[in-house]
Amino acid sequence: MPIINRIAEFHDEMTAWRRRIHANPETAFQEHKTSAFVAERLRSFGIEVHQGLAQTGVVGTLKGAHGDGPAIGLRADMDALHIEEKNQTAWRSQVPGKMHACGHDGHTTMLLGAAKYLAETRNFAGTVHFIFQPAEEHEGGGRAMVEEGLFRKFPMESVYGMHNFPGIEVGRFMVREGPCMAAADSIDIVVRGKGVHAAAPHLGTDPIVTAAQIVTALQTVASRTINPLDAVVLTITQIHAGETYNIIPEEVVLRGTVRSFKPEVQTAAEAAIKRICAGVASSMGVTVEASYTRGYPATVNDKDEAAFAAGVAAQVTGQNNVTFNSDPVMGAEDFAYMLNEKPGCYIGIGNGPGEGGCWLHNPHYDFNDAILPLGASYWARLAEARLAKR
Ligand SMILES: [Zn+2]
Ligand SMILES: [Zn+2]
């Protein structure tokens, strides 16, 4: 059973929605126009709409035509990124410095497409909650929705998410059971020495030489501290110090990220980072402050729900086009907060190679409108299968 015919009929309409959202990108918790557009579309389909959860979040609630049954949640994200778009399409971003470079415009549209179809057909028993969340990229809109009572106000058995992946062919879905996206933690390190003339280093204590040794020594966290069978990435992404040629500065600031899949790896990484920073600093006679902040947790799919989602994807695109138990990704995703509360599944949908092969968060990225009916059909079939009348 391929793409749903009725959904294919409004492919052009979905494309217009997607391009409209793309042209008007809004970043974390500022998704006012996007959220108003989503709410207005949902109402036009005859769906009950709740606005204001996590500021700009929208939840649409639709009951099936076949009476009582369980409730489920289908979730899309609405936020854009702080990137200047380099595409020259007619629907390119109209907002300087902001861009839908992660395809959340497409995610929102695919879920709207499914909502339109399901509102017309209502061929299920129970309730579908369409969840449109703000601020996925960094600020944790998903966590805010959970904290503000998403699952209390809209009780549901399970919850599902989807993300496009450039570099994966159109028509292919990827899903795995267990951890599929990493936990993303932040490291902040401040090394403090005693500033002095660069030509008289013996009269001060140099935080730059210490910071360089810390960066090198931190590479042993992944290679020597964590079990080789557990995935972990530690990357230092920022070094800030100094202003000129002839002064040893007082301070160096280092920042970075740790990605992993298991809480025990996070705990071990935190302890190792603090131990290494303190040890290197003390050996060099400077002081150090190292802090470790836990960010998005790992995104973990329920085993049964992952198998179920793979089956639904196979209905839409054929068994051969579903990669089951694909490799996890070290990126992070705040849908993790919803999966921490309810069983469910996060699935990847191929976005095609993309112009120049550009990946997510690239200024040349664009969501591929060809996959809108595929994603919308997946959502619709998922709801009909999960809430099949008994
Ligand atoms: Zn992103
Ligand atoms: Zn994204």
Side-chain angles (χ1 to χ4, degrees):
M1 192 187 301
I3 288 172
I4 296 170
N5 286 337
R6 175 64 187 129
I7 289 179
E9 281 172 26
F10 53 80
H11 191 172
D12 288 349
E13 190 181 5
M14 281 194 287
T15 302
W17 298 341
R18 205 285 294 180
R19 293 179 179 183
R20 174 184 168 147
I21 298 170
H22 187 89
N24 298 282
E26 296 172 302
T27 46
F29 296 117
Q30 306 294 314
E31 305 90 341
H32 299 290
K33 283 190 216 155
T34 312
S35 142
F37 176 72
V38 165
E40 179 249 317
R41 290 286 87 217
L42 292 173
R43 280 195 192 97
S44 78
F45 309 150
I47 292 175
E48 189 186 315
V49 174
H50 182 287
Q51 286 176 271
L53 203 62
Q55 303 177 46
T56 48
V58 182
V59 180
T61 297
L62 178 69
K63 288 194 187 308
H66 303 303
D68 289 343
I72 61 168
L74 311 179
R75 167 276 198 184
D77 37 18
M78 301 187 290
D79 57 318
L81 284 154
H82 293 278
I83 298 181
E84 183 72 28
E85 177 157 14
K86 297 241 174 86
N87 293 313
Q88 294 304 329
T89 53
W91 56 91
R92 72 187 300 277
S93 170
Q94 299 301 303
V95 184
K98 295 188 182 184
M99 174 193 177
H100 271 291
C102 204
H104 300 183
D105 48 348
H107 302 166
T108 296
T109 301
M110 292 189 290
L111 190 53
L112 280 177
K116 177 175 164 122
Y117 167 83
L118 288 168
E120 278 178 11
T121 50
R122 295 173 60 225
N123 186 22
F124 57 91
T127 304
V128 179
H129 297 297
F130 302 94
I131 305 164
F132 295 86
Q133 76 150 81
E136 189 286 320
E137 287 293 353
H138 192 67
E139 289 79 359
R143 179 183 56 203
M145 284 190 101
V146 171
E147 285 173 358
E148 291 182 25
L150 174 66
F151 297 122
R152 223 175 35 247
K153 292 174 178 162
F154 307 93
M156 60 188 88
E157 267 187 7
S158 51
V159 67
Y160 305 86
M162 173 157 47
H163 207 292
N164 77 95
F165 283 94
I168 306 298
E169 69 214 70
V170 167
R172 177 163 295 279
F173 286 88
M174 296 184 308
V175 63
R176 61 175 284 116
E177 56 186 41
C180 59
M181 302 280 282
D185 301 334
S186 312
I187 318 166
D188 287 272
I189 300 166
V190 184
V191 184
R192 291 201 182 85
K194 183 179 170 202
V196 70
H197 196 295
H202 59 294
L203 299 178
T205 38
D206 186 346
I208 288 189
V209 172
T210 307
Q213 294 185 32
I214 287 176
V215 172
T216 308
L218 287 178
Q219 303 312 307
T220 63
V221 174
S223 67
R224 306 288 88 177
T225 306
I226 305 298
N227 183 336
L229 298 180
D230 287 332
V232 64
V233 177
L234 186 158
T235 302
I236 297 297
T237 52
Q238 301 180 41
I239 303 182
H240 302 283
E243 313 211 20
T244 188
Y245 292 95
N246 58 357
I247 298 173
I248 292 172
E250 296 264 327
E251 194 174 281
V252 180
V253 173
L254 304 173
R255 298 197 185 98
T257 184
V258 175
R259 306 297 174 103
S260 61
F261 292 105
K262 294 180 177 172
E264 56 267 35
V265 172
Q266 292 172 282
T267 304
E270 175 174 2
I273 289 163
K274 290 184 170 167
R275 188 185 68 237
I276 288 167
C277 288
V280 174
S282 128
S283 75
M284 302 299 290
V286 304
T287 60
V288 69
E289 266 172 54
S291 63
Y292 187 95
T293 311
R294 294 193 185 211
Y296 292 177
T299 304
V300 183
N301 284 339
D302 177 86
K303 190 167 179 285
D304 295 339
E305 295 291 353
F308 164 70
V312 172
Q315 275 186 42
V316 174
T317 195
Q319 193 73 56
N320 292 341
N321 291 315
V322 180
T323 308
F324 192 60
N325 284 344
S326 50
D327 286 341
V329 175
M330 298 309 281
E333 165 62 60
D334 87 342
F335 184 58
Y337 291 103
M338 297 187 190
L339 286 180
N340 270 356
E341 301 293 318
K342 299 285 169 187
C345 182
Y346 184 73
I347 196 168
I349 181 170
N351 196 57
E355 281 298 309
C358 64
W359 220 64
L360 302 170
H361 295 202
N362 181 292
H364 295 283
Y365 167 85
D366 198 13
F367 185 87
N368 187 346
D369 290 317
I371 69 172
L372 290 169
L374 272 166
S377 295
Y378 166 78
W379 280 137
R381 289 295 181 227
L382 186 152
E384 289 173 347
R386 189 67 175 68
L387 304 176
K389 62 177 170 182
R390 285 128 223 242

